[in-house]
Amino acid sequence: MAMEQTFIMIKPDGVQRGLIGEVIGRFEKKGFYLKAMKLVNVEKSFAEKHYADLSSKPFFGGLVEYIVSGPVVAMVWEGKQVVSTGRKIVGATNPLAAEPGTIRGDFAVDIGRNVIHGSDSVENARKEIALWFPEGIAEWRSNQHPWIYE
Ligand code: DAT
Ligand code: MG
């Protein structure tokens, strides 16, 4: 199967709570490759664009306020089935429903402070990567590749 890319973002609460290394470590140790990363404060209009599909939801305003409340860490991760597997590593949207062992299950309580974002489909990953990394992403492959992939 071809390699995929996904967009993962550590939200302001994850940054403030010192969970950057924890999140990166989980994706890195799994065998996925970090292809782009930056710590940024985003504008309200940018957050609204990222969450455009949710603009009719009652929680949209609060969600946008939360995302702009501090810096976020935006990343692109690459690997086999990284989109769906990344969602499993992230865990269910509501942290109280998220399984222990997932990031949200291990590190969060409230749905509005759920630490991390992960693309929900290959198509949305492509759109999110284009939105967050218009400058493009790195081209590299780990020397460990043959020890992780058959
Ligand atoms: P996910 O982040 O798991 O893909 P989503 O795309 O449905 O979930 O929603 C985006 C974010 O919006 C989610 O991480 C937290 C917030 N959110 C979702 N549903 C919510 C709700 N019912 N009340 C408050 N915030 C919610
Ligand atoms: Mg989503």
Side-chain angles (χ1 to χ4, degrees):
M1 176 180 290
M3 300 286 267
E4 291 177 356
Q5 292 178 341
T6 194
F7 174 68
I8 298 291
M9 170 182 53
I10 305 172
K11 296 176 177 178
D13 51 332
V15 174
Q16 293 290 342
R17 293 175 56 199
L19 296 173
I20 298 170
E22 178 72 39
V23 168
I24 291 174
R26 288 182 180 216
F27 280 85
E28 202 171 34
K29 282 179 253 179
K30 171 70 175 168
F32 294 141
Y33 302 142
L34 183 63
K35 304 300 291 271
M37 177 167 72
K38 58 187 174 188
L39 181 130
V40 281
N41 283 289
V42 297
E43 302 279 342
K44 196 172 168 210
S45 58
F46 187 91
E48 287 169 349
K49 213 168 172 183
H50 172 75
Y51 280 123
D53 292 351
L54 300 172
S55 60
S56 62
K57 302 284 186 189
F59 57 82
F60 184 69
L63 175 61
V64 169
E65 288 303 316
Y66 158 52
I67 295 303
V68 304
S69 66
V72 301
V73 175
M75 295 175 282
V76 176
W77 286 89
E78 184 175 281
K80 191 174 179 180
Q81 274 183 49
V82 70
V83 175
S84 59
T85 307
R87 291 281 291 187
K88 289 183 195 163
I89 292 170
V90 166
T93 306
N94 181 347
L96 292 182
E99 295 292 333
T102 66
I103 291 168
R104 287 167 172 170
D106 287 349
F107 300 114
V109 177
D110 273 348
I111 195 167
R113 298 288 185 273
N114 65 2
V115 172
I116 184 167
H117 165 86
S119 304
D120 64 6
S121 67
V122 172
E123 175 60 15
N124 281 337
R126 195 190 55 74
K127 287 185 197 163
E128 291 170 0
I129 291 166
L131 176 68
W132 286 82
F133 292 96
E135 67 272 31
I137 65 173
E139 199 45 68
W140 74 286
R141 176 159 288 184
S142 169
N143 285 337
Q144 292 184 17
H145 192 76
W147 298 105
I148 301 167
Y149 293 87
E150 292 184 86

